[in-house]
Amino acid sequence: MGLLEGRKGLVVGVANDRSIAWGIAQAAAAEGAALAFTYQGEALLKRVTPLAESVGSRLVLPMDVTRDEDIEAAFRTLRESWEGLDFVVHAVAFANREDLSGPYLNVSRANFLQALDVSAYSFTALARAAAPLMEGRAGSLLTLTYLGAERALPNYNVMGVAKAALESSVRYLAADLGPRGIRVNAISAGPIKTLSAAAIPGFTLMLKNAEEKAPLKRNVEAAEVGRAALFLLSDLSSGVTGEILFVDSGYHIQGV
Ligand code: NAP
């Protein structure tokens, strides 16, 4: 029997087959989970639908995470389609391209708020919508973060500030939802070449640097994040909540 047999999960943040969310979705489906997906905009619907179908999912729902009405509608559909919900994967982030180079100092109020809204607040909004569907089940909420939350890395800028807020949200949500049996965790992934990552100038250098300096002397793949996610989504981690698990070939432990 698979680790997630009989479990139902919502995956937010598949843009294409290179997305980290897709690595997690494939791992979860292989362990027996039934999945629902979201997409933002018609162009992505065309890309997400065949991926969803390939893991037996027919639930592909529109959701811009900055729109409360989209979140409400998606969870209404989930409530009508499934008896309950066991896990949510949140793999969404956005910052304006102009803020992903040069000094962080220059970020405007509007761009700061947008980055924090899409990349951090959305996890709390999803958690609030998901919790009622998880009553009586061992729910698990999972988000994706990066080392730039705790260290000042070149060009990551406002995204690092957003990830710091996201990581703090993981701890506060874990404290709020723990009494209801719902666990909340994050994976801090090493650099992986995806659509979003390509927007960060010098990303190829980050990949090279990680390969040279990480203890494992290589970069990680989305499939490895997927396998670590299986731990956090399943009963294997029943005693773990509020945790940030690094899946980065050990890069974060290195000093000089
Ligand atoms: P990705 O494939 O480009 O996925 C990012 C997803 O966020 C896309 O599906 C994107 O949709 C979605 N998104 C952005 N704004 C949205 C909104 N308002 N509403 C709904 N969805 C929205 O990139 P990824 O690298 O897999 O990123 C997934 C997560 O992993 C992010 O949180 C990222 O910060 C994190 N992460 C990535 C790395 C890395 O090196 N790749 C490392 C550590 C952590 P659109 O394409 O429509 O905008």
Side-chain angles (χ1 to χ4, degrees):
M1 193 166 121
L3 281 173
L4 295 173
E5 209 67 54
R7 305 287 169 94
K8 295 180 169 62
L10 174 68
V11 181
V12 180
V14 174
N16 58 29
D17 61 3
R18 307 190 109 199
S19 296
I20 294 176
W22 179 239
I24 296 173
Q26 283 179 299
E31 289 295 327
L35 299 175
F37 293 86
T38 67
Y39 66 93
Q40 189 202 193
E42 290 308 305
L44 277 197
L45 174 61
K46 286 201 195 100
R47 271 193 259 151
V48 178
T49 303
L51 292 174
E53 282 173 357
S54 75
V55 291
S57 171
R58 286 172 178 278
L59 280 172
V60 183
L61 314 168
M63 187 195 287
D64 175 339
V65 294
T66 63
R67 290 167 52 91
D68 287 334
E69 55 272 40
D70 283 11
I71 296 176
E72 273 164 33
F75 279 88
R76 204 178 311 122
T77 305
L78 287 182
R79 203 176 304 116
E80 288 162 6
S81 311
W82 288 341
E83 273 168 25
L85 183 67
D86 299 289
F87 64 86
V88 175
V89 176
H90 169 272
V92 168
F94 176 82
N96 279 282
R97 201 173 268 264
E98 74 218 51
D99 295 318
L100 295 172
S101 61
Y104 163 69
L105 187 67
N106 292 342
V107 68
S108 68
R109 189 186 302 269
N111 288 4
F112 180 100
L113 292 175
Q114 188 184 19
L116 271 281
D117 187 13
V118 177
S119 317
Y121 180 74
S122 61
F123 187 51
T124 297
L126 289 184
R128 194 166 50 245
L133 278 78
M134 292 180 162
E135 292 302 339
R137 308 166 84 104
S140 175
L141 302 171
L142 177 66
T143 188
L144 269 299
T145 184
Y146 180 58
L147 183 62
E150 44 180 89
R151 309 233 191 115
L153 301 179
N155 300 327
Y156 203 62
N157 296 353
V158 69
M159 187 54 75
V161 177
K163 291 299 191 193
L166 179 68
E167 291 187 7
S168 186
S169 309
V170 166
R171 292 182 283 271
Y172 279 94
L173 290 169
D176 282 352
L177 295 171
R180 292 161 73 177
I182 300 169
R183 299 181 298 106
V184 187
N185 294 289
I187 288 177
S188 186
I192 297 174
K193 204 164 184 184
T194 61
L195 217 55
S196 299
I200 303 169
F203 185 76
T204 312
L205 274 178
M206 283 164 74
L207 284 172
K208 199 164 167 282
N209 187 257
E211 207 172 280
E212 283 166 7
K213 305 235 167 78
L216 294 180
K217 301 292 169 216
R218 63 173 179 81
N219 281 293
V220 293
E221 293 171 2
E224 292 180 291
V225 177
R227 289 197 289 277
L230 282 182
F231 166 67
L232 290 171
L233 297 177
S234 72
D235 294 341
L236 288 179
S237 62
S238 58
V240 180
T241 194
E243 196 59 61
I244 313 291
L245 174 65
F246 281 84
V247 181
D248 68 343
S249 299
Y251 181 81
H252 72 288
I253 66 154
Q254 296 286 82
V256 178

